[in-house]
Amino acid sequence: MIQLKQVSKRYGDIVALDQIDLTVQDGECVVLIGPSGCGKSTLLRSINRLIDTDQGDILVNGQNISTYKAEDLRRQLGYCIQGVGLFPHLSVFDNIAIVPQLLKWDKSKINDRINTLMDLTGLPLSYLSKKPHELSGGEAQRVGVCRALAADPSILLMDEPFGAVDPMTREQIQLAFRKIQRELKKTVLFVTHDMEEAILLADRIAIMYKGKILSLETPGGLINGTHDPFVNEFIGADYPLRLLKRYTLADLKVINVDSKSQLNQVSSLNEFSTAKEILSEILKSGSQEIMIQKTDRTKVIVTYDALIELLQKVLNNEIV
Amino acid sequence: MNKYFKMIAVVLSISVLTACAPTVKEEPVIVATMLDSEGGILGNMIILMLEAEGIKTENKLYFGTPDILRAALENDEVDLVVDYTGSGQYYHPEDATDPSIWNDPEDGYAFTEKLDREKNDLLWLTPAPANNTEMIAVTREFASANALVTMADLAAYINADNPFKLIASAAFIENTMGLLGYEEAYGFKLTNDQIISLSSGNTAEMLQALSLGTNGINASLVYGTDGALDQLNLVVLEDPKQIPPVYLPAPVIRKAVLDMYPEIRDILKPVFESLDLETLQTLNAKVAYEGLDALDVAKAYLIEKKFLKQ
Amino acid sequence: MKSSRLKINLGYGLIGLASFALPLGEFKPNRVVKGILLYPTDLFSPYLIMAFFIGILMLYIVQMRKKNPGVLTQWLMISLGLLPSLILIALSAVKISGIEFNPSAARVSLGSGYYVLLLGILIILSQFKSFKWFLLGMVFSVVISVTLNLVPNLGLIKEFNNVKNSFIKAIGTHLTLALSSALSAIIPGILLGYISYTHSRWREWVMGFVNLFQVAPTLSLLGLVMIPLSLLSKAYPILSQWGIKGIGFAPAFIVLTLYCLLPIVANAYAGFQQVDKAILSSAQGMGLTPFQIFYKVSFPLAAPIILSGIRTALTQNIGNTILAGLVGGGGLGALIFLGLSQAAPDLVLLGTIPVVIMALMSDQIFEFCEYKLNHMMGVVHDTTQTS
């Protein structure tokens, strides 16, 4: 759990953080988003004391961070930055193993841990002996995630970690990351400037502007337009549509059908497709419903109405 | 990461090991001389004689320029050097008030020996009877063409506005007992473009320039025992007024070392007494001009004169 | 093509000049006196010289037509490599009549023509791929000529015979001094470089301090160092026992170490500078202490550039160590200064050639080490040094 109480920071005349109050619950992923200079990175870096705050208290797992030695604190937190910062002279294995080695884990424990992580992020074990420059951007990013998770910290601090990757790869990594975070129940504070990334990953989104948190809601909760005008402008008028990317077939009410029929089948979709893709395909088909085949070869029918029902549920906070 | 530790460890140990120069357990006598051939010959003779009597030596011949050599001796860095009696005028300038002592071989030696013994704990041993003093040399042809035999003849030649260029060391040129003394005694004065001044006193280059006639040089500084005279067809202009100081080569040893090996005095005495002017000239010629090894020349001489067996 | 054609023409011109206008050697009846100049026509018949030119032309034509050096070209190159030694042998064996001389004192020195000829050949041949065969032939034949005593009358050889006993020792002292002083500058140099990197306020001070030694004249530096060392060793005799005195090894060692600082410090600073800030930030965020960041991240990443600085320092130090000869430190410098003071140019050459060879070898060895290090790092650094 991360708690920030009345945290403030100035640089000369500029207020970087203005009496911030924020609590990130265990296992929760809170995404900090906002325009450049809003203070999101500053906020993140004050938690692992890369930046020292002027006022306020920060508690990690109930303990004030000022009571720790800086290095000890940092070793307990997973930290991942944009561009990853992998050490070019070390192999993938050595890169990931750094913090566990600092914590003096024994070799077999480190080995097991790394194997698990590689598996988790979908990287082949043969990559362990490679050097960073032999990896693609996406692969390097995944190694960065492994590295952040290496010492099994309960808390992860991620500072725009997927920013330097191309959009297609980014989506894959985002999904992989969400899966890992939810499975391992890691507490994550995630900084980004990409709204869609926030929509996908966050349990709650904190929108920041000029050092203040203007809004702290679940992604679904942001649909209600009763907010700060800046927030409305920031999330954009098409927010509900963008929100659709967060939900998949599993969140929709579907009709199971006999596997032999082929009417209105859209073969490019399966159960992992987002609600947005499904809506697009229904529009393209020109009819009121389409059929989707799941990977287990069973087929379901999705209608317009099912989509509208989903949105209603989101608006009513029945679905997160 | 272990690789780096190993590299650093290797680097560290090498520098530590090599930075500690090896220590010499016994106390050998450190023998040092100047850079010329005479230093090499006399130095090697000393080493050979001492070693033959079972005294261990350390060879630091061709050590450096005269001032570096003297500084090393005064600071106990070396133990035994070959120096020249006339140098006393430089080592004890405050007491060298009477210039006439330098014209007499014994007076000069006595003065230097006394002051070095009292003030620096340095002892001058028996010198060689070879006046290695500073003289002016010209080529044989030049001398016969202009009928030059003495310094007086040269003075006349110069005063008649004939072409003349002298190459010498700065020390000689500025010395009242050197060029200035010659000028005063024989009545001539050289202008600046008649002089080429070199910072070191090494005559090898000067004499080479003289024999080649480089830059119009027709006279050069030469030392009494220089082997060049015969080899390069040069003659020395006679100096009846004996202007420059007498320089007799002699071993100079630190008192502490002589106390440890008092027999050194008697070992070297007969050797040095046997080295007269012509002998040294011949020996020097062998090394400087024939290019023989100073050690071989020294050894051959010592064996011939029966100072050394075998 | 154009520049290599220029090179060829230049090369031919130099060779032509050498053959006719400049002396290949000089016969001197003794060490110091002026000698008789020896020209190519004195040593070889004109037909032989013709044949040599034709040989070069043939080689040129053969090489130009083929892309890859065949066996024939290799052998042509090797045999051309024998030429410099053949000239040396001819020079050594020359018979002079008409003047009296002492055979043991007489010697033949190399003349300007020899060097010009060598330069011309090197210019022409260095552009070919099979050049290394020429070098092989040349080095091999020179070594054989010297060891089999085929060139006894060369001035260089005569001087060598004189100092034979102390020559190896001189090389050993020289190398020890050069290596040890360069090595002892490494750790202080790296630390100073790191300090200038982490504390930019101090950078000017450090750089100024290190530059001071490069600028100050060596002799003055030596003199300055000798005085306190001398006083120290007199006050604490134990220092003398360890070999630390005002003259000899100690002052030369100190001055040389100071000289080695600049390339190492400058390269260390540059090396640390070019480490990506993102990597350092990530290292800090992961919880590495400043010291851990230094030896796990900054130092390994800066290592290739630092190594390049060490390479510069050592190679230049081999030359600088000549100065040790001025303060009784021995080494090849002592030989060189002895030759200078006795006006014996062949002795100076004898002292200088090993210095050049050692410097070249050290440079090559380090180039190989740098290559290996870059491989290990897995990152390609630009290894051109910055000082």
Side-chain angles (χ1 to χ4, degrees):
Chain A
M1 177 157 84
I2 308 174
Q3 291 164 287
L4 291 105
K5 298 181 182 171
Q6 290 287 293
V7 173
S8 298
K9 170 89 188 161
R10 300 178 84 95
Y11 289 108
D13 287 335
I14 303 173
V15 178
L17 296 174
D18 194 352
Q19 294 174 310
I20 300 280
D21 284 306
L22 175 66
T23 302
V24 183
Q25 303 294 343
D26 289 325
E28 185 182 20
C29 177
V30 170
V31 174
L32 297 176
I33 193 169
S36 296
C38 65
K40 53 193 195 291
S41 278
T42 312
L43 182 59
L44 191 77
R45 283 154 68 207
S46 49
I47 296 175
N48 63 5
R49 282 173 58 185
L50 286 178
I51 291 182
D52 285 316
T53 52
D54 301 330
Q55 285 164 355
D57 294 312
I58 303 179
L59 289 90
V60 161
N61 289 333
Q63 197 171 340
N64 195 315
I65 59 174
S66 58
T67 62
Y68 288 98
K69 212 168 90 166
E71 286 87 32
D72 292 330
L73 172 67
R74 291 170 191 155
R75 288 175 202 178
Q76 292 183 33
L77 304 170
Y79 183 56
C80 197
I81 60 173
Q82 190 180 92
V84 188
L86 289 181
F87 302 145
H89 58 296
L90 297 178
S91 66
V92 166
F93 183 93
D94 288 324
N95 260 291
I96 302 177
I98 289 205
V99 180
Q101 281 170 351
L102 285 179
L103 294 174
K104 309 232 194 310
W105 286 15
D106 59 38
K107 287 202 175 154
S108 54
K109 189 174 174 196
I110 296 181
N111 265 320
D112 292 336
R113 179 78 187 146
I114 293 183
N115 285 339
T116 312
L117 289 168
M118 294 291 278
D119 192 40
L120 207 58
T121 51
L123 290 168
L125 290 180
S126 60
Y127 276 32
L128 283 175
S129 54
K130 288 195 184 207
K131 290 255 164 67
H133 67 95
E134 299 175 75
L135 303 173
S136 70
E139 289 161 348
Q141 219 70 45
R142 288 173 197 245
V143 173
V145 172
C146 289
R147 195 168 71 162
L149 287 168
D152 203 11
S154 55
I155 296 175
L156 290 178
L157 301 174
M158 316 280 279
D159 196 343
E160 304 199 51
F162 308 139
V165 177
D166 68 276
M168 262 200 315
T169 326
R170 196 183 307 150
E171 218 177 282
Q172 284 175 5
I173 303 182
Q174 284 163 349
L175 287 170
F177 178 74
R178 181 171 76 171
K179 180 160 176 268
I180 295 172
Q181 185 256 324
R182 287 180 177 175
E183 265 180 38
L184 300 178
K185 298 201 182 38
K186 296 296 182 194
T187 312
V188 176
L189 193 54
F190 195 107
V191 167
T192 184
H193 62 271
D194 180 358
M195 200 62 212
E196 310 223 333
E197 188 167 64
I199 290 172
L200 195 60
L201 298 177
D203 291 316
R204 281 190 293 164
I205 300 180
I207 299 181
M208 288 183 70
Y209 185 57
K210 290 195 180 163
K212 282 190 189 300
I213 297 181
L214 297 179
S215 138
L216 182 58
E217 303 265 5
T218 63
L222 276 174
I223 288 189
N224 297 318
T226 55
H227 296 118
D228 195 284
F230 173 80
V231 172
N232 286 334
E233 206 188 307
F234 187 79
I235 63 178
D238 57 345
Y239 182 76
L241 287 178
R242 293 160 92 185
L243 189 58
L244 281 176
K245 273 186 105 167
R246 184 177 167 82
Y247 306 103
T248 62
L249 190 60
D251 301 306
L252 290 167
K253 196 156 161 205
V254 296
I255 306 166
N256 294 312
V257 288
D258 198 301
S259 2
K260 291 210 186 78
S261 90
Q262 293 247 332
L263 188 63
N264 283 339
Q265 177 160 342
V266 181
S267 45
S268 59
L269 301 175
N270 56 31
E271 69 267 37
F272 301 116
S273 309
T274 64
K276 193 172 180 194
E277 287 169 321
I278 296 174
L279 178 60
S280 310
E281 290 299 332
I282 291 182
L283 290 171
K284 284 200 302 200
S285 74
S287 63
Q288 295 284 316
E289 62 189 34
I290 52 168
M291 175 148 60
I292 299 174
Q293 180 177 52
K294 298 206 260 188
T295 46
D296 60 1
R297 315 214 74 159
T298 58
K299 299 186 190 185
V300 294
I301 287 187
V302 186
T303 61
Y304 254 134
D305 293 333
L307 284 163
I308 308 268
E309 219 181 295
L310 172 66
L311 280 174
Q312 279 301 117
K313 283 191 184 167
V314 170
L315 249 153
N316 297 336
N317 262 323
E318 285 166 30
I319 277 189
V320 186
Chain B
M1 286 305 108
N2 288 322
K3 310 173 199 157
Y4 296 108
F5 281 128
K6 282 186 198 154
M7 242 167 58
I8 293 178
V10 167
V11 158
L12 258 180
S13 37
I14 291 182
S15 33
V16 165
L17 282 173
T18 52
C20 297
T23 57
V24 186
K25 291 296 153 103
E26 290 175 307
E27 301 270 6
V29 176
I30 306 177
V31 182
T33 63
M34 301 182 207
L35 290 169
D36 55 359
S37 54
E38 185 160 284
I41 295 172
L42 295 177
N44 272 307
M45 283 192 196
I46 293 177
I47 290 179
L48 286 167
M49 291 303 295
L50 291 185
E51 290 277 344
E53 297 293 325
I55 301 174
K56 291 235 180 304
T57 59
E58 195 179 318
N59 180 331
K60 288 226 180 258
L61 305 187
Y62 306 119
F63 189 79
T65 51
D67 27 321
I68 290 205
L69 186 67
R70 176 71 185 184
L73 183 67
E74 285 175 357
N75 286 317
D76 299 346
E77 314 276 5
V78 295
D79 300 325
L80 175 55
V81 306
V82 173
D83 206 340
Y84 296 84
T85 55
S87 313
Q89 61 180 302
Y90 303 115
Y91 300 152
H92 306 277
E94 341 72 61
D95 302 298
T97 44
D98 181 8
S100 65
I101 58 168
W102 302 109
N103 293 358
D104 181 288
E106 268 124 39
D107 290 346
Y109 174 82
F111 171 89
T112 309
E113 195 274 333
K114 177 165 180 286
L115 282 173
D116 253 1
R117 180 170 24 93
E118 289 170 3
K119 291 195 178 175
N120 295 324
D121 276 341
L122 294 173
L123 300 168
W124 287 68
L125 305 181
T126 317
N131 187 2
N132 197 7
T133 189
E134 294 153 335
M135 318 198 68
I136 310 266
V138 297
T139 60
R140 223 180 274 273
E141 315 163 319
F142 184 78
S144 56
N146 297 296
L148 303 174
V149 178
T150 66
M151 284 301 295
D153 298 333
L154 184 65
Y157 172 87
I158 294 173
N159 290 332
D161 279 339
N162 285 312
F164 183 74
K165 206 168 231 177
L166 170 73
I167 181 169
S169 68
F172 174 73
I173 290 168
E174 293 151 20
N175 197 345
T176 45
M177 282 187 275
L179 181 63
L180 300 178
Y182 271 130
E183 286 175 339
E184 205 191 306
Y186 292 99
F188 65 96
K189 190 87 183 83
L190 294 180
T191 60
N192 275 341
D193 27 304
Q194 284 175 315
I195 301 177
I196 294 188
S197 170
L198 298 186
S199 56
S200 93
N202 219 292
T203 52
E205 319 165 42
M206 298 180 201
L207 295 172
Q208 185 178 53
L210 173 62
S211 72
L212 293 176
T214 324
N215 281 20
I217 294 173
N218 41 26
S220 165
L221 172 67
V222 70
Y223 287 99
T225 58
D226 213 302
L229 302 172
D230 196 43
Q231 297 277 333
L232 299 181
N233 253 324
L234 305 173
V235 285
V236 168
L237 295 171
E238 291 172 20
D239 170 34
K241 299 193 187 180
Q242 287 222 327
I243 300 301
V246 174
Y247 286 106
L248 305 177
V252 186
I253 188 171
R254 292 200 299 121
K255 181 167 182 305
V257 179
L258 190 62
D259 288 341
M260 241 195 306
Y261 303 102
E263 60 269 33
I264 292 183
R265 189 189 286 275
D266 293 323
I267 294 173
L268 298 180
K269 182 167 186 303
V271 176
F272 269 75
E273 280 179 343
S274 73
L275 296 166
D276 62 5
L277 193 71
E278 286 80 25
T279 312
L280 274 181
Q281 282 175 351
T282 317
L283 293 175
N284 278 324
K286 289 207 173 123
V287 173
Y289 295 94
E290 288 183 41
L292 297 176
D293 190 358
L295 175 63
D296 295 334
V297 171
K299 202 175 198 181
Y301 177 80
L302 291 174
I303 292 177
E304 188 204 324
K305 295 285 180 187
K306 308 244 190 321
F307 291 120
L308 263 191
K309 281 101 190 180
Q310 138 223 112
Chain C
M1 232 323 130
K2 282 234 170 100
S3 83
S4 71
R5 194 159 290 175
L6 178 65
K7 275 196 216 172
I8 292 177
N9 291 336
L10 189 60
Y12 266 115
L14 285 173
I15 292 182
L17 193 68
S19 303
F20 300 109
L22 297 172
L24 274 181
E26 186 183 346
F27 175 85
K28 303 202 285 204
N30 68 43
R31 211 180 186 209
V32 182
V33 105
K34 183 184 172 123
I36 303 171
L37 298 176
L38 302 167
Y39 292 89
T41 40
D42 298 326
L43 298 170
F44 305 107
S45 79
Y47 300 112
L48 216 55
I49 298 179
M50 268 290 117
F52 162 63
F53 269 111
I54 293 174
I56 292 247
L57 203 60
M58 256 174 56
L59 187 67
Y60 173 55
I61 294 171
V62 165
Q63 258 292 183
M64 284 290 103
R65 303 186 82 189
K66 288 196 178 175
K67 298 285 179 190
N68 290 312
V71 181
L72 174 65
T73 320
Q74 285 173 10
W75 281 108
L76 266 173
M77 280 291 192
I78 292 181
S79 34
L80 256 177
L82 301 179
L83 182 70
S85 326
L86 287 175
I87 298 182
L88 288 180
I89 296 178
L91 279 172
S92 178
V94 75
K95 298 268 177 283
I96 302 285
S97 58
I99 62 166
E100 276 190 34
F101 61 90
N102 179 348
S104 68
R107 69 226 20 242
V108 180
S109 293
L110 297 175
S112 48
Y114 187 81
Y115 297 113
V116 167
L117 184 67
L118 207 55
L119 187 65
I121 297 180
L122 284 173
I123 289 180
I124 294 184
L125 295 180
S126 61
Q127 62 183 311
F128 297 138
K129 278 189 215 167
S130 45
F131 179 58
K132 55 178 184 251
W133 295 102
F134 171 83
L135 284 178
L136 188 69
M138 187 171 83
V139 169
F140 185 68
S141 57
V142 167
V143 169
I144 292 281
S145 318
V146 170
T147 29
L148 291 183
N149 202 25
L150 296 173
V151 286
N153 292 323
L154 277 187
L156 206 57
I157 302 294
K158 293 224 159 175
E159 295 292 349
F160 173 71
N161 288 331
N162 263 353
V163 296
K164 219 175 357 200
N165 305 321
S166 48
F167 191 68
I168 297 286
K169 181 165 179 252
I171 293 185
T173 313
H174 194 100
L175 215 50
T176 309
L177 194 50
L179 271 172
S180 60
S181 49
L183 283 174
S184 32
I186 292 180
I187 292 182
I190 294 178
L191 289 175
L192 282 173
Y194 193 63
I195 289 175
S196 352
Y197 164 66
T198 49
H199 297 85
S200 48
R201 285 172 294 122
W202 291 3
R203 176 169 178 245
E204 279 169 34
W205 288 100
V206 171
M207 285 314 206
F209 172 73
V210 172
N211 260 308
L212 189 67
F213 296 115
Q214 296 291 114
V215 167
T218 321
L219 285 186
S220 334
L221 260 181
L222 279 170
L224 276 174
V225 167
M226 276 163 65
I227 300 172
L229 266 181
S230 202
L231 290 171
L232 265 176
S233 78
K234 267 184 155 176
Y236 301 100
I238 189 149
L239 289 176
S240 273
Q241 280 200 349
W242 283 348
I244 300 178
K245 306 184 193 176
I247 45 101
F249 189 84
F253 179 81
I254 292 176
V255 171
L256 288 171
T257 305
L258 292 172
Y259 270 126
C260 286
L261 279 179
L262 176 63
I264 298 181
V265 171
N267 273 38
Y269 175 75
F272 290 123
Q273 265 285 31
Q274 51 87 39
V275 174
D276 196 347
K277 299 278 186 275
I279 296 177
L280 294 176
S281 171
S282 144
Q284 192 186 17
M286 277 164 47
L288 277 75
T289 63
F291 181 62
Q292 285 165 339
I293 296 181
F294 173 75
Y295 82 81
K296 276 188 187 284
V297 184
S298 302
F299 179 69
L301 289 175
I305 297 193
I306 296 180
L307 189 63
S308 174
I310 297 177
R311 167 185 177 182
T312 308
L314 183 61
T315 307
Q316 106 189 356
N317 209 33
I318 291 179
N320 282 344
T321 309
I322 291 179
L323 296 160
L326 282 174
V327 285
L332 292 162
L335 276 180
I336 293 177
F337 286 114
L338 187 60
L340 282 174
S341 73
Q342 295 186 344
D346 285 322
L347 185 56
V348 176
L349 202 60
L350 185 69
T352 316
I353 289 178
V355 172
V356 172
I357 293 179
M358 287 195 295
L360 284 174
M361 272 171 53
S362 132
D363 200 52
Q364 284 298 104
I365 292 176
F366 266 91
E367 189 168 317
F368 177 73
C369 289
E370 272 179 49
Y371 170 74
K372 278 276 153 186
L373 189 63
N374 277 330
H375 233 272
M376 249 168 54
M377 291 289 116
V379 187
V380 179
H381 280 290
D382 179 13
T383 54
T384 53
Q385 54 115 144
T386 53
S387 61

